């Protein structure tokens, strides 16, 4: 860790202890004693500019957040291999009983850019095979769009893909059909700080 990053982390931690934690101490103590009961599971990108807790101004214990490159959800594959996203989904849905799953993409996503153009040469061990699951859909959408629309259209396509893959999990599909679990797709515009929601018409509209 560089001296600069160490100082930034430590100063942030001190602000947390003196400000946020001090104000919310009773809430943290209650959460420690009684456990978490988040209402929403969010699948988001790891991008440092699109933090769900900040965007939703969430209190501790409200959100169960799963972050990865490109906010991707893989299809249901209970094959005994290591599936971090799927394990988080199972825990959030079957153990924590969340009532909503949100897939949140964002503007200027490097993961989606890699799906359009290929993973960086320095990220071939894990990034390249990870993003490959979204590459066919992204490139098909990119070919159908003009250059001015391509970036946003492909980011939205990955949100749709992840929602489709969520529905391959039987215990998600069953709960959605029963009305006990809601699936929502969002796209966050970094520059303007605006969320847009996927509507029934397959369009993303500003969230009111």
């Amino acid at each position: 860790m560089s001296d600069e990053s160490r100082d930034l982390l430590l100063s942030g931690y001190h602000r947390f202890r003196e400000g946020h934690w001090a104000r919310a101490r009773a809430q943290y103590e209650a959460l420690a004693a009684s456990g978490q009961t988040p209402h929403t599971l969010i699948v988001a990108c790891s991008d440092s500019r699109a933090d769900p807790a900040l965007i939703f101004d969430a209190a501790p214990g409200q959100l169960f957040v799963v972050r990865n490159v490109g906010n991707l959800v893989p299809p249901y594959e209970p094959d005994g291999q290591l599936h971090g996203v799927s394990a988080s989904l199972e825990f959030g849905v079957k153990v924590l009983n969340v009532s909503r799953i949100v897939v949140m993409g964002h503007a200027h996503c490097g993961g989606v850019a890699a799906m359009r153009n290929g993973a960086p040469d320095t990220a071939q061990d894990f990034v390249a095979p990870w993003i490959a699951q979204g590459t066919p859909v992204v490139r098909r959408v990119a070919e159908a769009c003009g250059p001015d629309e391509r970036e946003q259209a492909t980011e939205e396509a990955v949100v749709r893909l992840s929602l489709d893959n969520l529905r391959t999990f039987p215990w998600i599909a069953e709960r959605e059909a029963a009305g006990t679990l809601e699936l929502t797709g969002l796209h966050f515009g970094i520059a303007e700080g605006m969320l847009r929601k996927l509507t029934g018409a397959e369009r993303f509209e500003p969230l009111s």
Side-chain angles (χ1 to χ4, degrees), residues 153-169:
T154 53
E155 291 161 356
E156 293 173 352
V158 173
V159 173
R160 292 189 182 95
L161 172 65
S162 289
L163 289 169
D164 289 343
N165 285 344
L166 281 171
R167 294 183 172 104
T168 68
F169 290 74

Side-chain angles (χ1 to χ4, degrees), residues 102-130:
V102 172
V103 177
M104 188 183 78
H106 67 92
H108 315 303
C109 181
V112 179
M115 295 176 214
R116 291 193 303 268
N117 307 315
D121 292 340
T122 54
Q124 294 294 310
D125 290 351
F126 298 102
V127 172
W130 174 253

Side-chain angles (χ1 to χ4, degrees), residues 77-138:
E77 293 178 327
D79 54 11
Q81 301 301 310
L82 303 177
H83 295 286
V85 173
S86 300
S88 297
L89 290 171
E90 184 175 40
F91 193 84
V93 172
K94 297 175 74 174
V95 179
L96 298 177
N97 293 308
V98 297
S99 59
R100 172 180 285 179
I101 300 177
V102 172
V103 177
M104 188 183 78
H106 67 92
H108 315 303
C109 181
V112 179
M115 295 176 214
R116 291 193 303 268
N117 307 315
D121 292 340
T122 54
Q124 294 294 310
D125 290 351
F126 298 102
V127 172
W130 174 253
I131 64 165
Q133 62 188 304
T135 297
V137 168
V138 163

Side-chain angles (χ1 to χ4, degrees), residues 42-45 50-58 63 65 67 104:
I42 298 183
V43 180
C45 185
D51 183 348
L54 287 174
I55 292 167
F56 294 102
D57 192 25
L63 303 180
V65 181
R67 301 183 72 173
M104 188 183 78

Side-chain angles (χ1 to χ4, degrees), residues 136-148:
V137 168
V138 163
R139 292 189 176 173
R140 184 168 65 250
V141 169
E143 289 172 1
C145 291
D148 293 341

